[in-house]
Amino acid sequence: MQTSFKSFPKKSTIALLFLIVITGAVYWPVSNYPFLRLDDNVYVTENFHVRSGINKESVAAAFRFTNPGEQVYYHPLTMLSHMLDVQLFGLNPSGHHLTNVAIHLINVALLFLFLHWSTGSSLGSIMAATFFALHPVNVESVAWIAERKNLLSTTFWLLSCCAYTAYGRRPHLLRYLPVFLLMLLGLLAKPMLVTLPFALLLLDFWPLQRVRLRQPASDREAEAEGVYPKTFIGLNYKLVLEKLPLMVLSVLWVYLASLSAQQSGMVISTQAIPICLRLQNAVYSYFAYLQKLFFPFNLAIFYPFPQEMYPLWEIAGVLLLLLLVTFLAVSRARTAAFWMTGWLWYLGTLVPVLGLKQQGLWPAMADRWLYLPAMGIFIIIAWGIHRTMTDDKAHARIVQGMVMGVVLIMAVLTRNQLINWKDDLRISRQALESTTQNSVAQHLYGLALIDRKQTEKGLQHIDEALKISPFYNTARINLGGILAEQGDYEKAIENLNIALKINPNLALVHNNLGVTFKKMGRLDDAVASFSKAVSLDPYFAGAYNNLANTLKRKGRFGEAVQNYRRALQINNDIPEIHNNIANAYQSLHQPDQAIAHYREAIRLSPRQPVFYINLGETLYGEGDLAGAISNYEAALRLIPNDRATRDRFQTLQRLLASSNRKP
């Protein structure tokens, strides 16, 4: 049975609205969560183009394959969504989180609408949408701001399915065009949609029933209805040919995504992870993901890739199980077509993320990668329950009660899992408890401890991360930076040089080397390192600031001002840079410029007493005693027990009183 939107039942509308409200309530606490260190910095907080919001330059950068200093694969539509969030909410993480929740709710509604429209089943559609809305494995996609790409691409996937449903009922070029355009938009959000043509072939079988095991009266009648007789594999060649433009788009996008990853230096060679191990992990992942769906415990932000081959019997067992389920699904196509569509949906949509070709920080598997494939399993479960309740009405209420109990358990588990995403410390600790030999979790946990002033313990975890993965460059770089802050310069330089051997084109490493050289008094080496950093990443505001500080220390104030200006062009919201450039302007005897930047520093960070003191001294030099006293008074409110500040304040008061007594 198929329905149209015009015949959408009132009860279904109420059920959908109730589901959206419940899902929103479950996910609401995420609005109080911060950005995470892992990837949120790459995509938002430290991304110059995203931080600048929507403008001509940032939009152009979003559509470029690579940008200097960035290791982000090509997904311009997602980057534009992050830019829009910055435009609306600034860098307040609450707004970014709520956007993720809103997109998830849209996806819940779209899944329900698509299934209801294509099948006519309110019960099956609401159950599948409920499982999707409240399953704890989807928390990662919603609670992690960096996973906006996953949510957004799924939105266009589901819109494509809705558009294809309209096309499948009345095939026409004008109805096919929206399918193509929506798929293109989805690919611009994330390459996950490369498997969409395969999924649409499944929809031809069920629920659209464009392929039937029993042939229609005539081929002409079938083509007029958009229904084709089956061939040996159950598909007429015309159904395959009509997907050809979409398949070409998929192939093109696979090439573009690979090109973008290679140019960004994100591709992991087969020497690092042998292809045999990748194949074994791909096979095992199918089984492991099913475990996560039916027993959603021991979830983790990162599952480390296995360091040795799986036992052959284990892989053979998993492969045999997959083949058996596939055989059963296909063999039941006449009596339970939803089973075949749902199972092959699950198998096919996982292909792009099985790790056969790896890039970036690629795990063995990831909860977020189940966001779209899990829909296939939810469809099987929902329509299986629906059929049971229809065929066995005597026990329908018992089944209904069991389903409600399962949904309640899922909601509780999702809320509990959401708590683990509250900050870096909790999410990394959960990963350490759920996995072994996890260098990423060790590193993230170590940084979280250091943020909480537990430096020694934090360094132990970072050291452990490097013992597990000696070529884990991010951990190596951060270790070098932390050691430099502690004054262990030789070890800092040693670790940073190792990082450069792994990848000599990392701006952050050159910047950290510059910081270390500066602390050692090797100013020429520091200038060279900072200059190399900004040449590799022209949008690295911190490196420009560090270079300017070093040049100022060498007495090259004019060059320092130029670099401070560049840093402020990239990020105008860092009060320390405004204070630094003001100091440089003071050295160049340009007090008006200095005063303007001191005031901007105070506006951005009104609880920094040094800004008030610097402004006070500059105003005093310009003869504005009242202004100087006012700023020293503001500083004393922040540091009332600072003797030097109080003495200077009292001296200025006496000078003002003395000047007032003069005739």
Side-chain angles (χ1 to χ4, degrees), residues 194-203 247 344-349:
V194 294
T195 57
L196 181 62
F198 159 80
L200 297 183
L201 285 171
L202 294 176
L203 298 184
M247 293 177 182
L344 294 182
W345 175 301
Y346 168 74
L347 294 181
T349 53

Side-chain angles (χ1 to χ4, degrees), residues 35 109 162 250 306 330 345 360 369 380 470 519 566 576:
F35 291 106
C162 289
S250 291
V330 174
W345 175 301
W369 292 339
I380 294 172
K519 289 181 177 181
R566 178 57 182 150
E576 288 77 14

Side-chain angles (χ1 to χ4, degrees), residues 7 12 24 50 118 188 200 244 272 287 327 330 353 363 379 419-420 428 470 521 600 656 662:
S7 62
S12 298
V50 171
S118 58
L188 289 169
L200 297 183
L244 192 58
F287 175 71
F327 172 77
V330 174
V353 290
I379 286 171
I419 295 172
N420 290 315
S428 56
E600 181 64 12
L656 181 61
K662 290 182 180 179

Side-chain angles (χ1 to χ4, degrees), residues 374-420:
M375 291 180 188
I377 304 300
F378 296 149
I379 286 171
I380 294 172
I381 297 171
W383 261 263
I385 294 171
H386 179 258
R387 174 165 292 194
T388 300
M389 294 176 68
T390 303
D391 295 344
D392 188 2
K393 293 184 178 180
H395 296 92
R397 289 196 174 276
I398 296 175
V399 175
Q400 187 178 15
M402 293 173 64
V403 171
M404 292 179 66
V406 169
V407 170
L408 180 60
I409 291 171
M410 282 198 310
V412 172
L413 291 175
T414 293
R415 193 61 175 265
N416 288 339
Q417 174 62 8
L418 201 65
I419 295 172
N420 290 315

